[in-house]
Amino acid sequence: MKTILSLIQPTGDLHFGNYFGAVQNWVRLQGEYTCYFGVADYHAITMPYDTGKLRENVWEIAFNLLAAGVRPGNLFIQSLIPEHAELGWILNCFASYGQVTRMTQFKDKSQQTASLGDDYVSVGLFDYPVLQAADILIYHAELVPVGKDQEQHLELTRNIATRFNQQVGKAYFRAPEALYTATPKIASPADPTRKMGKSLGPKHYINVFAEEAQIRKQIRSAVTDAGDTPAGELSPGVTNLLALLDASGEGAKAVAMAQDARNGTLRYADLKQATADGLVAVSDHMRERKAAILMDGDALKDELRETSAQIRTRAQETLQEVKDLAGLINPRL
């Protein structure tokens, strides 16, 4: 089977943008591919963060992923596999400075920091696309589930792989390909022109594990028509609610309501009711699974440490081969 690699940052809550945009797809892929799914805590420290909460958030997102259906044997904690960081340094020497400076997510996140009145931007934030390349290449992943906003990083990974291969005179690394998710980008319910995410504040994301009343409240208050949408076209808010409805398993209903919207006969209250019903059904199932997981939380933490140790052996093999090819010294084993 082909190998897939994907990571998620430990932001604590798992929101529906994360779930429909990535995690739901991970669960489907597990039966078709060799899968490596990771909690990217090295990446999480590239922006200002609470050191006291990071470890808590790592376990929280890990339990959320298990509740979503990710198998424990496919899941690892990034910082338990330090070879990611070592390979990242080596790959820095095969990464183009010019290409890394053009990474749009670095520009967006550094501007976000500046908007908070802080002019400090870490080198890690600038360099994390190279660590991301190491995450992918260390397992020789052939496919990477990504959204459109990650295409630029994947292209950097391919360029690094090619440059390394040319330097060592061997086609060692594969050039990974994108595996696009079926669900389009999920937007903020409060501002459908922006991607759903925690960084914008609590109004801008819907927690998968929230209580039913909270989910329904956020959908009821979701922006629908901004008033400047041309006739016959769907506003960003309506498009976003339809995407959530479709992703929650109500595809036929989403198609019918989209047609009603184009005909001018759709009642926004009906769309919001249907969308909330779909999201609540997904949430109820996941909250039940998470409650069962938390009853055995300490044992699962130990299992994930062991899984990470097992996955680490694959990373160690790659790193040893890379160091040999690059002319570096390996310890005697």
Side-chain angles (χ1 to χ4, degrees):
M1 293 191 290
K2 289 187 176 181
T3 298
I4 279 182
L5 180 285
S6 193
L7 280 78
I8 188 170
Q9 288 202 35
T11 55
D13 295 335
L14 179 68
H15 58 68
F16 279 104
N18 300 138
Y19 178 66
F20 290 138
V23 177
Q24 188 181 58
N25 196 38
W26 291 9
V27 175
R28 293 194 189 108
L29 295 171
Q30 289 177 120
E32 304 172 39
Y33 301 93
T34 298
C35 295
Y36 295 97
F37 299 133
V39 178
D41 48 348
Y42 279 152
H43 289 288
I45 64 175
T46 60
M47 291 282 283
Y49 71 102
D50 183 338
T51 57
K53 289 203 67 174
L54 178 59
R55 193 174 295 112
E56 175 186 329
N57 286 343
V58 167
W59 293 123
E60 177 71 13
I61 196 68
F63 291 157
N64 289 343
L65 293 173
L66 296 176
V70 174
R71 298 171 189 166
N74 293 338
L75 185 60
F76 66 89
I77 310 298
Q78 187 186 30
S79 62
L80 291 176
I81 307 179
E83 286 75 16
H84 284 243
E86 186 172 355
L87 180 61
W89 170 254
I90 294 171
L91 296 184
N92 272 324
C93 303
F94 298 89
S96 162
Y97 173 78
Q99 189 175 18
V100 175
T101 61
R102 292 191 292 273
M103 295 290 108
T104 56
Q105 288 198 17
F106 168 71
K107 297 175 184 177
D108 293 344
K109 289 187 176 183
S110 56
Q111 289 171 0
Q112 178 185 322
T113 301
S115 70
L116 298 174
D118 188 353
D119 61 0
Y120 171 80
V121 178
S122 76
V123 173
L125 179 62
F126 173 76
D127 195 43
Y128 89 93
V130 181
L131 177 58
Q132 194 173 62
D135 297 332
I136 296 166
L137 296 175
I138 203 163
Y139 302 110
H140 298 276
E142 294 149 287
L143 296 169
V144 183
V146 294
K148 289 290 183 181
D149 58 345
Q150 288 289 326
E151 282 181 320
Q152 193 182 37
H153 287 176
L154 195 57
E155 184 61 28
L156 173 67
T157 301
R158 286 194 286 265
N159 288 349
I160 290 172
T162 299
R163 192 170 292 108
F164 179 87
N165 291 347
Q166 291 172 344
Q167 175 68 37
V168 303
K170 180 180 179 180
Y172 177 71
F173 283 127
R174 299 182 180 92
E177 298 295 330
L179 184 63
Y180 294 111
T181 58
T183 301
K185 180 173 69 176
I186 300 297
S188 157
D191 181 357
T193 65
R194 305 180 73 176
K195 185 177 178 180
M196 182 180 287
K198 289 188 67 180
S199 63
L200 300 174
K203 295 192 302 182
H204 294 274
Y205 72 95
I206 305 173
N207 185 351
V208 173
F209 297 94
E211 295 294 330
E212 176 178 345
Q214 178 62 28
I215 294 173
R216 292 190 181 279
K217 178 182 178 181
Q218 287 187 265
I219 293 298
R220 281 197 303 271
S221 62
V223 172
T224 47
D225 193 344
D228 56 357
T229 305
E233 295 185 16
L234 303 183
S235 69
V238 169
T239 299
N240 192 46
L241 289 174
L242 289 168
L244 286 167
L245 179 60
D246 180 45
S248 66
E250 297 290 348
K253 191 174 292 185
V255 169
M257 286 191 158
Q259 188 58 52
D260 289 343
R262 293 187 182 92
N263 294 337
T265 59
L266 176 68
R267 294 178 66 245
Y268 291 154
D270 292 340
L271 173 58
K272 289 184 175 183
Q273 176 71 42
T275 302
D277 289 345
L279 296 184
V280 167
V282 173
S283 177
D284 283 348
H285 175 66
M286 303 242 301
R287 282 192 293 116
E288 288 176 7
R289 292 186 62 169
K290 185 173 179 181
I293 284 169
L294 290 176
M295 292 179 66
D296 204 17
D298 288 342
L300 275 172
K301 288 181 181 179
D302 289 340
E303 184 175 356
L304 289 175
R305 287 189 179 96
E306 178 58 31
T307 295
S308 298
Q310 293 171 3
I311 291 174
R312 185 183 179 188
T313 62
R314 180 71 178 100
Q316 289 171 324
E317 291 172 3
T318 298
L319 185 62
Q320 289 175 28
E321 291 168 353
V322 165
K323 291 174 75 172
D324 281 341
L325 289 168
L328 299 168
I329 307 299
N330 267 314
R332 291 181 178 176
L333 301 178

